[in-house]
Amino acid sequence: MKEMSYLLITANVGSLFELWDSIAKAWFDTISASVSRLSPNFLAFHFQEVGGKDPKISMKQIEVFSKIMLQLPALHMYKLAIGHLDTDCDDKKKYTALGSFYFIDQSLEHRISIWDFNEERYLPLKERRMSLSSDFCDERFKKVKFPPELSPEKCWCRKGFLHTKWRIDEIPFNFVNIHMFHDTSNLVALESSPSVYADCRQRALKYTLDYIDDFEAAPTFIFGDFNFRTDVKSAVQDLTKSLRPKSIPDNHDHRVSFSDDLDRNVLLVGKKEFQHKDHETVFTTEPKWLKHDAELRPFKDWLYELEVNFPPSYPCQEESDVVRYLPTRCPAWCDRVLMNRKARELLSGDFRYNMIGKKTSMGDHKPVYLNFVQRIWKRSPSTEEEDEASPIMDCIPQRTVLVNHNCLCIN
C-alpha cells in the first residue's frame, strides 16, 4: 500500500491584480512556501476573479501571472501540468474570470489521465500546458456560466464554475472551481434569514451538483469562492443585544446605527458598510461566529467539509500583514473546500484544512487549502518498478511560454 498526497488551494485573486505592485511578491512567495512545505504529489489551484475588475486592462498581467506561477521554485519540480485562465471577457454570456492550474509529479506520470470533453475519453498528460485559449478550455476544462434566473439581479454576471475530470489509478475524480453570487447590499441581507442572496447561492450550488452526472459515483471536490456569508440578520442580533437601533438618512441610501445607553455607536450597517467598534478583534477572537455560518446546512446529506478552525477569509484588509477586516461586510468564510461522500471516504486521518497567509498581505480574500493523504494500493509490480526507477529530481520539467493567448511547450 502506498500513500499519495493532494494539495487543493482556492484563491480569489481579484485584489492581487488590483494591487499588484504592493502585494504580488508576498503573495507568490507565500504560495510557493506553502507548496514547498506540504510537497504534494497532486497540486490543484482554483482561482477566481482572474484579472481583477477590468481584465482587458490586466491582460498582460494575466500572462505574467501564469508565467510566474510556472516558474515558482516549489512548482518547477512538477514534470506535468495543465491549466486554463478564462480571458474571454468580451462574451458576457460565457465569461467567468475563473482559472484552474494542476501540477502532477513524476510518480503519477503513468497513472493519471484527464478527460477530454470533445473526444469523451481520458487522455494521458505528456507535457506542461497552460492556455488562455477558449478552444483549449472546451477540450479539457468545461466552463459553465450560471444562467441569469439564478442571480439576485436576474442578469448575466461573471459567476459560474470550471469543471475537470480525472482518473488516478483507475479512480475517477471531479474537480470543480466555483464562484457564486455575492451580497450586493448588507441592508437587503439584513431583512431576512436566510437572505435573498443565500437563497440564490443555494440554487446555484444545486445547479452545479445537478450538472455533475457522476456526482454520486465519483469522488468530487468543489472548491472556490462560494461567497457563503455569515447570516447578517442573526449576526447583527447577536452583536446588538441591549443596543438601540437608529436609522440614519443618506443621500443615496440609509444606514442603521446601533448604540449603547450612553449613545455611543457600537455597530454601523449600510449598503456596503459594516463596522463594529471592536472591528479589529471581535471577528478574529470569537469562534462563536461560526454558528451564523449556515449556508451549507441544506446540503448536509450531499456535501462535506472538514472542521473549520481558521478565521473568516473575507473581507480582509488587502495590505495588512495580519488578519484584519475591512469595515464593508460582516466577515465570512467565503472560500471553502467541499467534497461529496465518495471523496470524504478517500481521506485518511492525516489532513490539514486551513488558511494561507495569516501573517501576509494576500488581498481581500485569504487563500484556503486542503492537504490530505489518500492510501492507495499499487496496481502491479511493473508499475511499482516504474515509479521507483524515476525519481523526481532526475526529470527536467518543460517550460511553458504564452504567445497570443495560446500555448507553446519548449524544452
Side-chain angles (χ1 to χ4, degrees):
M1 188 167 67
K2 184 182 179 182
E3 292 186 340
M4 175 179 161
S5 63
Y6 295 76
L7 177 57
L8 314 181
I9 298 174
T10 177
N12 184 312
V13 292
S15 290
L16 173 63
F17 287 91
E18 301 294 332
L19 302 168
W20 185 273
D21 292 340
S22 57
I23 70 172
K25 184 180 186 306
W27 193 95
F28 287 114
D29 287 347
T30 304
I31 291 292
S32 185
S34 298
V35 173
S36 181
R37 175 172 55 87
L38 298 171
S39 190
N41 303 112
F42 183 95
L43 170 61
F45 288 99
H46 284 181
F47 303 116
Q48 306 83 41
E49 297 291 340
V50 173
K53 292 183 176 65
D54 194 337
K56 289 184 179 180
I57 295 176
S58 304
M59 190 58 64
K60 291 297 182 183
Q61 261 183 346
I62 293 173
E63 295 183 7
V64 171
F65 170 81
S66 183
K67 291 177 183 178
I68 293 177
M69 286 294 297
L70 289 166
Q71 294 167 4
L72 289 178
L75 303 184
H76 201 256
M77 63 177 284
Y78 291 94
K79 178 181 179 181
L80 303 175
I82 191 167
H84 173 71
L85 299 176
D86 183 7
T87 59
D88 197 12
C89 52
D90 289 326
D91 192 339
K92 69 177 183 178
K93 293 184 179 181
K94 293 183 178 180
Y95 179 55
T96 64
L98 294 172
S100 298
F101 284 3
Y102 302 93
F103 295 84
I104 298 95
D105 77 17
Q106 187 172 346
S107 68
L108 299 178
E109 183 176 3
H110 302 291
R111 296 156 48 194
I112 191 168
S113 53
I114 187 170
W115 182 259
D116 188 299
F117 288 96
N118 287 341
E119 298 188 23
E120 296 188 337
R121 63 189 179 105
Y122 288 103
L123 298 175
L125 288 180
K126 298 180 179 179
E127 59 193 9
R128 280 183 149 212
R129 187 180 183 189
M130 301 289 170
S131 177
L132 310 183
S133 165
S134 58
D135 292 338
F136 180 62
C137 174
D138 292 339
E139 295 173 8
R140 310 295 169 82
F141 298 79
K142 192 67 173 180
K143 181 174 66 172
V144 179
K145 185 110 167 186
F146 292 133
E149 59 267 23
L150 294 182
S151 77
E153 287 79 24
K154 309 302 179 193
C155 63
W156 288 107
C157 59
R158 55 182 189 178
K159 300 294 192 294
F161 58 90
L162 197 60
H163 178 210
T164 58
K165 294 166 66 79
W166 298 77
R167 188 170 62 190
I168 305 172
D169 285 324
E170 304 304 325
I171 301 175
F173 285 82
N174 292 299
F175 292 96
V176 180
N177 179 0
I178 194 168
H179 192 192
M180 297 204 298
F181 311 112
H182 64 283
D183 286 15
T184 305
S185 169
N186 294 322
L187 296 171
V188 173
L190 185 59
E191 292 173 356
S192 61
S193 178
S195 71
V196 294
Y197 306 116
D199 286 340
C200 290
R201 288 189 286 270
Q202 182 175 337
R203 292 197 298 272
L205 185 51
K206 184 179 185 304
Y207 181 91
T208 305
L209 300 186
D210 289 343
Y211 162 84
I212 304 170
D213 55 6
D214 58 351
F215 178 77
E216 295 293 335
T220 299
F221 292 90
I222 307 176
F223 51 111
D225 179 4
F226 291 83
N227 258 318
F228 290 155
R229 300 302 174 99
T230 307
D231 188 285
V232 175
K233 184 173 183 178
S234 63
V236 167
Q237 288 173 345
D238 201 346
L239 286 166
T240 59
K241 293 175 181 176
S242 75
L243 299 181
R244 293 179 289 104
K246 181 175 66 174
S247 181
I248 303 174
D250 192 280
N251 291 333
H252 305 286
D253 214 331
H254 75 281
R255 297 183 296 170
V256 181
S257 171
F258 297 86
S259 304
D260 61 17
D261 292 337
L262 298 178
D263 205 31
R264 294 176 298 192
N265 181 61
V266 176
L267 178 68
L268 184 63
V269 181
K271 181 179 180 179
K272 295 185 178 181
E273 190 172 9
F274 195 97
Q275 186 164 10
H276 191 273
K277 69 177 183 65
D278 297 321
H279 207 79
E280 299 296 333
T281 59
V282 67
F283 300 108
T284 56
T285 59
E286 292 285 351
K288 68 179 183 180
W289 298 119
L290 266 172
K291 72 181 181 183
H292 302 296
D293 177 68
E295 292 194 34
L296 261 181
R297 291 174 189 170
F299 298 91
K300 61 182 179 62
D301 294 329
W302 297 280
L303 290 172
Y304 298 81
E305 182 180 36
L306 301 183
E307 185 178 359
V308 175
N309 288 312
F310 50 87
S313 62
Y314 173 85
C316 299
Q317 290 186 15
E318 289 100 329
E319 299 178 77
S320 173
D321 289 336
V322 297
V323 180
R324 291 196 178 100
Y325 296 106
L326 295 166
T328 54
R329 307 286 184 185
C330 184
W333 290 266
C334 291
D335 309 276
R336 318 283 276 259
V337 181
L338 308 181
M339 66 202 81
N340 68 352
R341 179 178 57 83
K342 288 287 187 181
R344 181 65 183 88
E345 291 171 353
L346 289 177
L347 274 65
S348 72
D350 184 13
F351 51 75
R352 302 174 183 88
Y353 185 38
N354 212 331
M355 174 188 287
I356 294 176
K358 290 182 181 178
K359 298 181 180 180
T360 309
S361 302
M362 302 293 284
D364 60 351
H365 286 259
K366 296 285 188 181
V368 169
Y369 74 91
L370 171 62
N371 173 227
F372 68 93
V373 171
Q374 173 197 354
R375 292 191 175 95
I376 54 178
W377 292 94
K378 293 184 179 179
R379 289 178 292 167
S380 67
S382 61
T383 302
E384 184 172 351
E385 292 171 2
E386 197 170 71
D387 290 345
E388 294 178 352
S390 304
I392 293 173
M393 297 309 293
D394 288 347
C395 168
I396 301 176
Q398 294 177 314
R399 291 173 24 244
T400 304
V401 179
L402 290 161
V403 180
N404 295 329
H405 295 191
N406 294 302
C407 71
L408 299 173
C409 295
I410 60 174
N411 291 323

